Amino acid sequence: MGANEPFRGAVLEAVLERITYANEDTGYTVARVDTGRGGDLVTVVGALLGAQPGESIRMRGRWGSHPQYGKQFHVDDYTTVLPATIQGIRRYLGSGLIKGIGPVLADRIVEYFGVDALDVIEQQPQRLIEVPKLGPKRTKLIAAAWEEQKAIKEVMVFLQGVGVSTSLAVRIFKQYNEKSIDVVREEPYRLASDVWGIGFRTADTIAKAVGIPHDSPQRIKAGLQFTLSESTSDGHCYLPEHRLIAEAVKILQVDTGAVIDCLAELVDEEGVVREVLPEEDDEVAIYLVPFHRAEISLAGQLRRLLNDDADRMSAFATVDWDRALAWLRKRTGSDLAPEQEQAVRLALTSKVAVLTGGPGCGKSFTVRSIVELAAAKQARVVLAAPTGRAAKRLSELTGHEASTVHRLLELKPGGDAAYDKDRPLDADLVVVDEASMVDLLLANKLVKALAPGTHLLLVGDVDQLPSVGAGEVLRDMLATGTPIPHVRLTHIFRQAQESGVVTNAHRINAGEHPHTKGLSDFFLFSVDDIEETATLTVDIVANRIPRKFGLDPRRDVQVLVPTHRGPAGAGSLNSLLQEALTPSKPNLPERRFGGRVFRVGDKVTQIRNNYDKGANGVFNGTLGVVTGLDTVEQTLTVRTDEDEEVGYEFSELDELTHAYAVTIHRSQGSEYPCVVIPITTSAWMMLQRNLLYTAVTRAKKIVVLVGSARAIGQAVRTASTGRRFTTLDHRLQPR
């Protein structure tokens, strides 16, 4: 062994004191540990993701030396062990690892039982009642939490051997309980559909570790369904058969023939749907079942609404429009422009209608006018929007209560709606704002819940990014040849023409570079270096905007980015902005989960639909602020933008991510006083006109662009050409 070559195969036992850095994508962690031998804490680096401060861990790896940080232990893998000393037991119990035990209670338990404390909890938990001020209720909770920890640990030991992170092991245990190991061994691909956070690739790694053959039909069918599922994440409702086969072969690395055979079996088993599309030159489409059903159902329901003889707003078929509009003028104090008047008449006389247009064109005033006239005729008007923020805005605009579409339909655990065809909404007119955000599955649930004769008005900007979920519902409804009547507002009102935000949004939409000089509400900080862009963005948000405009950097300012990755992506900026706006403080509780640290005051967003949370579920994109963090009960509380308090177990924190910076896709339906948009050449493939246009139109008052003029030019020049695979437009056409 050479003089500088590190010693390999060493074992280090220590208590994990604190984690200083963790990358949740790679699992790479930097931590400080106490070896119990006195002296300074030791730095350990490597595969430690999932270990929590307070745990005693046995690490296998090697000693090495870093030129800047000195002696370090490089961890290859680790296992948790129970501490054996009184000090270690006190630290372990007091760290919040066992639900229901905090530092005060840990001191009492250790003081009473000494070195036997863990043995008592393990073997005679009923004896905990002997501890002063520890009642039977808390005793039971601690015993149950310990048992669950123990059971999870057994599953984890098995799963660590096949490369599964701690957080996913907890989810697997919650899904299958004592059957966890059997399911993982025998049906690993079930994990991809049953357990949120486990995709095909993770399941595939596990399958390989437990001996599932590379070319087994089980693997190939799972790979085909994964490929289709991934395509719905990109907005597609189906994939052409030849493209699905090619992509599956690439992912699975198996023969094309085997993929074709397994696809035929999947079709026979009704795991997927195969349909020939005559309107697309006999293209063969392969759908996941829910998306095929939803597309057929939505088209059928919209045609049914349009053509039904019933009309719950029949009073408007014979109304004296001159009188009605004169009354409206007195009521609002303003005249309607000709295209606004056309939209008002259309919404009140047609059973399905679309109102579209860009910022400053009077969509809001038109909607208010429609609602005023409908209410004057005692119509039951129901207002909804895809997000809490958009619903609040709609309510303020009209003076009528508005809710999210999810809450309106009262979605239940599992995703079924309380309102549907058999129990329709009691509504004469349903208005949905920010309709460009509504995806195929949600649109289908909504339209299914409308009674015959109900009027539906969808309001949105068709030039913005399409929905995060699959489909292009608004665009498909406006396609040539569909029977859906619509009005597009194009006239920019004089007041709006004075806004740099509005005029530049329209310039971008027309493929022209925004004006950035001499405006009081639209700014460009030109910088080419990507890391410098990130640093400057943080300074602008945390210091410059609050100083110049008096805006609250957390409540009033939102950073919008094209992508999650990179030095100026959402991931990196969230870490920097959190440290600037919600820094760590000695008396402030915090909880690390994977690569993230959560603190009270953090701005967060939900990253999956969870129908079991809150009154009617909490959905992908819901924003909120962390208002409580209990390290003893292991819960975190978020107040959402719908003013609902929602609780999270610590084991559920992978559903949340920080939202100081969010991707532009995630910002749809929201509006902020000020948006800051870092835009760099590192996001080159994402830079498209509708992306930048959507970001700019999220601002009510101020836009700040930070970054490269070249990147902005690329975004302005590049019209979005990537069409989504949908057939709603064709299914809507008369047959």
Side-chain angles (χ1 to χ4, degrees):
M1 185 183 287
N4 295 320
E5 190 179 335
F7 172 72
R8 296 177 184 279
V11 172
L12 177 66
E13 285 198 19
V15 174
L16 183 59
E17 285 292 324
R18 65 178 178 271
I19 294 170
T20 54
Y21 171 79
N23 183 316
E24 59 190 312
D25 293 327
T26 63
Y28 180 79
T29 304
V30 179
R32 302 278 280 165
V33 300
D34 183 355
T35 59
R37 299 185 193 120
D40 293 336
L41 298 178
V42 173
T43 298
V44 297
V45 299
L48 271 173
L49 199 62
Q52 295 291 344
E55 284 188 309
S56 293
I57 52 178
R58 181 181 291 126
M59 297 161 281
R60 204 168 51 78
R62 63 196 186 279
W63 288 100
S65 185
H66 188 280
Q68 188 177 345
Y69 302 112
K71 190 178 180 185
Q72 295 180 336
F73 189 79
H74 295 262
V75 182
D76 292 327
D77 57 51
Y78 77 95
T79 54
T80 56
V81 292
L82 291 178
T85 65
I86 283 198
Q87 186 189 353
I89 291 167
R90 180 180 276 114
R91 175 79 174 88
Y92 178 75
L93 289 177
S95 64
L97 283 164
I98 305 301
K99 193 171 181 178
I101 303 181
V104 174
L105 193 48
D107 283 347
R108 276 203 230 126
I109 293 170
V110 174
E111 202 171 296
Y112 191 85
F113 291 114
V115 78
D116 298 325
L118 294 182
D119 287 337
V120 169
I121 298 172
E122 165 92 45
Q123 289 158 23
Q124 299 171 285
Q126 69 279 6
R127 283 194 61 201
L128 286 171
I129 203 163
E130 297 170 22
V131 177
K133 298 183 186 172
L134 186 55
K137 191 176 172 189
R138 179 62 60 124
T139 299
K140 270 186 188 167
L141 285 172
I142 292 169
W146 182 270
E147 281 303 311
E148 187 179 27
Q149 280 286 103
K150 211 167 67 174
I152 290 172
K153 283 270 192 292
E154 283 173 26
V155 174
M156 278 182 192
V157 168
F158 170 74
L159 292 175
Q160 271 177 350
V162 292
V164 178
S165 73
T166 308
S167 60
L168 291 184
V170 171
R171 285 200 174 276
I172 290 169
F173 179 79
K174 281 194 169 176
Q175 179 73 30
Y176 305 117
N177 294 310
E178 70 283 352
K179 295 178 183 164
S180 297
I181 292 173
D182 289 343
V183 171
V184 170
R185 273 204 188 108
E186 292 160 28
E187 302 174 90
Y189 293 104
R190 261 182 74 185
L191 302 175
S193 54
D194 290 354
V195 182
W196 182 77
I198 295 187
F200 171 79
R201 288 192 175 90
T202 304
D204 201 34
T205 304
I206 295 167
K208 187 178 178 184
V210 298
I212 303 288
H214 185 72
D215 58 354
S216 81
Q218 181 189 356
R219 178 174 183 265
I220 295 171
K221 287 177 192 175
L224 281 161
Q225 288 178 311
F226 164 73
T227 307
L228 283 173
S229 181
E230 284 287 277
S231 75
T232 65
S233 302
D234 293 333
H236 301 302
C237 297
Y238 71 87
L239 278 182
E241 186 175 46
H242 63 88
R243 178 164 161 173
L244 169 63
I245 291 166
E247 289 187 14
V249 166
K250 200 165 148 191
I251 288 164
L252 294 163
Q253 296 291 297
V254 294
D255 290 341
T256 304
V259 171
I260 292 169
D261 290 345
C262 284
L263 178 56
E265 284 179 34
L266 260 183
V267 171
D268 289 343
E269 295 160 7
E270 298 183 0
V272 297
V273 176
R274 186 178 189 272
E275 184 182 359
V276 178
L277 306 176
E279 62 281 349
E280 297 285 352
D281 298 324
D282 288 341
E283 180 172 86
V284 178
I286 308 291
Y287 285 84
L288 288 173
V289 175
F291 294 91
H292 187 254
R293 281 187 188 146
E295 208 172 64
I296 289 171
S297 168
L298 177 58
Q301 301 286 355
L302 285 168
R303 284 204 310 274
R304 169 185 64 80
L305 270 181
L306 265 176
N307 300 326
D308 204 294
D309 291 336
D311 188 349
R312 294 182 63 145
M313 297 182 68
S314 56
F316 286 99
T318 54
V319 79
D320 180 337
W321 282 103
D322 289 339
R323 267 185 75 190
L325 294 170
W327 175 87
L328 184 66
R329 193 179 307 116
K330 271 190 193 170
R331 181 93 173 159
T332 62
S334 297
D335 276 317
L336 289 166
E339 55 188 18
Q340 290 178 308
E341 185 183 320
Q342 185 193 350
V344 169
R345 290 187 184 217
L346 187 68
L348 296 171
T349 56
S350 176
K351 279 166 271 182
V352 181
V354 173
L355 171 61
T356 187
C361 293
K363 283 200 306 294
S364 296
F365 183 65
T366 307
V367 171
R368 185 183 151 200
S369 301
I370 290 163
V371 172
E372 290 278 5
L373 281 169
K377 289 285 186 186
Q378 277 76 51
R380 176 156 169 68
V381 181
V382 170
L383 306 175
T387 66
R389 279 177 180 246
K392 260 188 196 168
R393 205 166 62 243
L394 184 58
S395 186
E396 287 159 9
L397 160 74
T398 60
H400 286 65
E401 189 185 341
S403 73
T404 61
V405 179
H406 302 96
R407 199 177 281 268
L408 172 67
L409 298 175
E410 291 182 15
L411 292 185
K412 298 179 290 190
D416 290 328
Y419 291 95
D420 57 20
K421 198 171 181 181
D422 299 323
R423 188 197 174 200
L425 293 162
D426 178 18
D428 302 321
L429 169 65
V430 174
V431 180
V432 181
D433 199 9
E434 294 287 356
S436 62
M437 282 187 71
V438 178
D439 64 29
L440 173 69
L441 298 182
L442 186 60
N444 182 46
K445 283 188 171 83
L446 172 68
V447 176
K448 215 187 275 187
L450 302 183
T454 301
H455 286 226
L456 172 65
L457 173 65
L458 297 179
V459 183
D461 185 346
V462 77
D463 294 323
Q464 286 185 23
L465 288 167
S467 56
V468 174
E472 286 187 295
V473 173
L474 194 66
R475 191 162 290 146
D476 282 349
M477 288 175 72
L478 295 176
T480 307
T482 67
I484 309 292
H486 69 274
V487 171
R488 182 172 190 134
L489 303 179
T490 55
H491 173 71
I492 307 171
F493 287 88
R494 190 182 309 143
Q495 193 179 352
Q497 287 173 4
E498 294 165 11
S499 158
V501 174
V502 170
T503 53
N504 275 331
H506 285 278
R507 286 182 66 82
I508 290 164
N509 202 28
E512 298 168 17
H513 207 281
H515 291 311
T516 56
K517 288 187 179 153
L519 296 172
S520 61
D521 62 351
F522 201 103
F523 306 91
L524 168 65
F525 287 81
S526 191
V527 52
D528 288 325
D529 182 79
I530 295 165
E531 292 190 354
E532 206 180 313
T533 299
T535 306
L536 181 56
T537 297
V538 174
D539 184 39
I540 287 167
V541 172
N543 303 311
R544 300 191 194 195
I545 288 172
R547 215 164 38 228
K548 184 172 173 65
F549 298 106
L551 296 175
D552 183 297
R554 276 187 293 192
R555 189 185 62 240
D556 302 327
V557 184
Q558 184 62 57
V559 177
L560 302 179
V561 292
T563 181
H564 184 78
R565 297 184 185 281
S572 174
L573 280 170
N574 269 317
S575 298
L576 296 169
L577 285 161
Q578 184 192 34
E579 282 314 305
L581 300 174
T582 318
S584 179
K585 291 178 184 169
N587 59 344
L588 187 72
E590 57 180 47
R591 174 67 177 187
R592 179 173 286 279
F593 191 97
R596 299 190 281 274
V597 179
F598 292 97
R599 301 179 185 129
V600 172
D602 270 338
K603 193 172 178 177
V604 293
T605 182
Q606 176 83 7
I607 56 172
R608 68 169 285 219
N609 288 345
N610 187 332
Y611 297 98
D612 299 322
K613 287 213 166 294
N616 296 110
V618 179
F619 298 92
N620 189 353
T622 299
L623 286 165
V625 173
V626 177
T627 54
L629 201 158
D630 189 328
T631 53
V632 176
E633 297 303 324
Q634 300 187 0
T635 57
L636 177 144
T637 308
V638 173
R639 176 166 282 279
T640 71
D641 54 9
E642 290 184 70
D643 291 328
E644 184 179 14
E645 294 276 350
V646 178
Y648 292 81
E649 299 281 327
F650 280 174
S651 61
E652 298 174 312
L653 292 182
D654 53 352
E655 294 188 17
L656 290 176
T657 189
H658 293 104
Y660 299 98
V662 299
T663 61
I664 296 164
H665 276 88
R666 284 193 161 274
S667 73
Q668 290 171 263
S670 295
E671 200 176 61
Y672 314 93
C674 173
V675 301
V676 178
I677 310 166
I679 188 158
T680 67
T681 51
S682 67
W684 194 259
M685 298 305 290
M686 298 284 294
L687 298 178
Q688 294 182 339
R689 190 179 301 162
N690 60 355
L691 188 85
L692 184 55
Y693 174 72
T694 299
V696 168
T697 55
R698 299 305 88 215
K700 277 199 279 197
K701 296 177 183 169
I702 299 160
V703 169
V704 182
L705 297 176
V706 188
S708 146
R710 185 165 162 250
I712 294 164
Q714 166 71 4
V716 169
R717 281 192 308 274
T718 310
S720 172
T721 51
R723 82 164 267 247
R724 292 181 167 192
F725 291 115
T726 79
T727 55
L728 179 64
D729 52 346
H730 296 297
R731 294 185 198 277
L732 280 169
Q733 288 173 15
R735 311 207 153 204

